[in-house]
Amino acid sequence: MIDDAALFPPGDASVPEAVASHLEARDGTFGGLVGPMLCKASRLAELITELAKSKPARPVELSLVCDTGLGGVPKALSIIEGRTELLALRMVEMPAPSDVDDVWLERVSEFVPEDVVRVVEPRRGEGWLDGVKRVADYGCWPKLRCGGQTAESFPTVDVVADFLAVASTLEVPFKTTTGLHRAVRGADPETGFEQHGFLNLLVATAKSLTGGDVRGALANTDEAALTEQAEGLSQDAANAVRDVFSSYGSCSLSTPVDDLEELGLL
C-alpha cells in the first residue's frame, strides 16, 4: 500500500540512503505494506549502481517516474530489462498534458508493456475530472496529487471528494502521491499546511463506495473516530476499498507504520 518515494521531496534521500531504507523495510516485519520504489528515469543509472553494490536477495520492485518525456521511456525500459536481477518493473508513472488527448494516451499504451501498470496524473483544473475518466478508459490508473511545496498544492476536501466520486466508479484503481505524510489529517508543524491523512482517504474511499459522508471522513481529525471506522470495515468492504485505492507514495516508510501502530491498527 505504501510506495517508497524516498528519493522525492520533501524527503530527498540520497540513493544509498533510499536503497538501504527500502531493503530494510521490505524485508522487515511489515514488509507486506511496502510497495514499489519510485525512481525518476533520469536517476535510473544511479539506482542500478547502488543496487549492484547492495546485492539484494531478490529484485526491487520499481515504479519508473517519467521525467524525460514519453520519448525516454523505451531507453529506460531497455536498461531495466538488462538488469532483471536487480529490478522488477511494476509501474510507469507520468504527468498528463493539459488536455489528456487520445493520441497521447495511445502513445502511452504503445510505449509501456501490457503487464506493467500505467499511472497517469491529470492536471487539476477546469474539466480535469473528464481527464481522469479518459485516463481510466485507456486502462491507465489515475493519480491524485495530495500536496507539494506550497499551500495551494494541497487539494481541498471538496476537490478530493469530487475525485473519489469519479474514481469509485472506474474500472481501474487509483493511487495518490505527495502530501499524505501522516495517518490522520492535521497541520504540518513545520509549514503549517493542512495535510490530508492516508487513513482519512482510506475511510473516505469506503464512504464513497457506500454513499456515506465522504467530505466528513476527509475533514475528520479525530484519531479515535477514524480508527473505529477503519476497524469497523468488513473484510469484503476492506477488499473493495483496496480494489479502488491501490497505494500512495510516501517519502518515509517508517512514519506510516509508526502511526498505524500508535492507532492500534497494526
Side-chain angles (χ1 to χ4, degrees), residues 107-129:
R107 290 187 67 206
V108 172
S109 299
E110 291 172 4
F111 282 139
V112 182
E114 289 186 1
D115 61 345
V116 174
V117 175
R118 304 181 301 275
V119 181
V120 175
E121 179 186 347
R123 298 183 186 181
R124 288 204 304 271
E126 185 176 353
W128 78 289
L129 292 176

Side-chain angles (χ1 to χ4, degrees), residues 66-73 92-112 118-123 131-132 134-136 138 140-143:
C66 297
D67 63 334
T68 56
L70 272 180
V73 171
V92 174
E93 306 186 30
M94 63 205 78
S98 56
D99 54 356
V100 201
D101 64 278
D102 293 339
V103 173
W104 184 84
L105 286 167
E106 287 174 1
R107 290 187 67 206
V108 172
S109 299
E110 291 172 4
F111 282 139
V112 182
R118 304 181 301 275
V119 181
V120 175
E121 179 186 347
R123 298 183 186 181
V132 170
R134 194 172 301 118
V135 163
Y138 275 81
C140 303
W141 293 11
K143 179 164 70 172

Side-chain angles (χ1 to χ4, degrees), residues 31-239:
L33 292 174
V34 178
M37 187 174 190
L38 279 69
C39 181
K40 293 180 180 179
S42 61
R43 302 192 70 181
L44 187 57
E46 290 180 71
L47 178 61
I48 289 174
T49 297
E50 187 58 34
L51 285 173
K53 295 177 183 177
S54 301
K55 296 181 174 61
R58 64 183 189 279
V60 168
E61 295 190 345
L62 174 70
S63 182
L64 180 70
V65 179
C66 297
D67 63 334
T68 56
L70 272 180
V73 171
K75 180 180 179 181
L77 295 184
S78 177
I79 293 172
I80 294 167
E81 288 171 1
R83 302 309 303 263
T84 54
E85 79 282 9
L86 299 176
L87 291 169
L89 183 63
R90 295 290 179 257
M91 295 181 182
V92 174
E93 306 186 30
M94 63 205 78
S98 56
D99 54 356
V100 201
D101 64 278
D102 293 339
V103 173
W104 184 84
L105 286 167
E106 287 174 1
R107 290 187 67 206
V108 172
S109 299
E110 291 172 4
F111 282 139
V112 182
E114 289 186 1
D115 61 345
V116 174
V117 175
R118 304 181 301 275
V119 181
V120 175
E121 179 186 347
R123 298 183 186 181
R124 288 204 304 271
E126 185 176 353
W128 78 289
L129 292 176
D130 291 332
V132 170
K133 295 174 185 176
R134 194 172 301 118
V135 163
D137 287 342
Y138 275 81
C140 303
W141 293 11
K143 179 164 70 172
L144 174 67
R145 185 168 296 273
C146 290
Q149 302 301 303
T150 65
E152 292 74 25
S153 302
F154 292 81
T156 64
V157 164
D158 286 341
V159 168
V160 178
D162 289 344
F163 174 84
L164 289 178
V166 171
S168 61
T169 67
L170 302 176
E171 297 296 323
V172 295
F174 73 87
K175 69 168 293 185
T176 68
T177 185
T178 314
L180 296 174
H181 301 301
R182 306 305 297 262
V184 178
R185 180 183 180 87
D188 183 278
E190 294 183 6
T191 65
F193 299 158
E194 191 72 18
Q195 299 181 339
H196 295 283
F198 64 82
L199 186 60
N200 293 81
L201 190 57
L202 186 151
V203 172
T205 301
K207 300 286 187 183
S208 183
L209 291 170
T210 58
D213 183 5
V214 174
R215 285 168 172 78
L218 290 170
N220 199 344
T221 58
D222 187 330
E223 295 181 355
L226 278 171
T227 300
E228 182 178 358
Q229 291 179 61
E231 289 180 322
L233 294 175
S234 67
Q235 188 60 55
D236 286 345
N239 290 340

Side-chain angles (χ1 to χ4, degrees), residues 245-263:
F245 178 17
S246 66
S247 62
Y248 77 97
S250 174
C251 61
S252 169
L253 294 176
S254 59
T255 300
V257 170
D258 291 344
D259 277 5
L260 291 173
E261 284 190 303
E262 186 175 330
L263 294 172

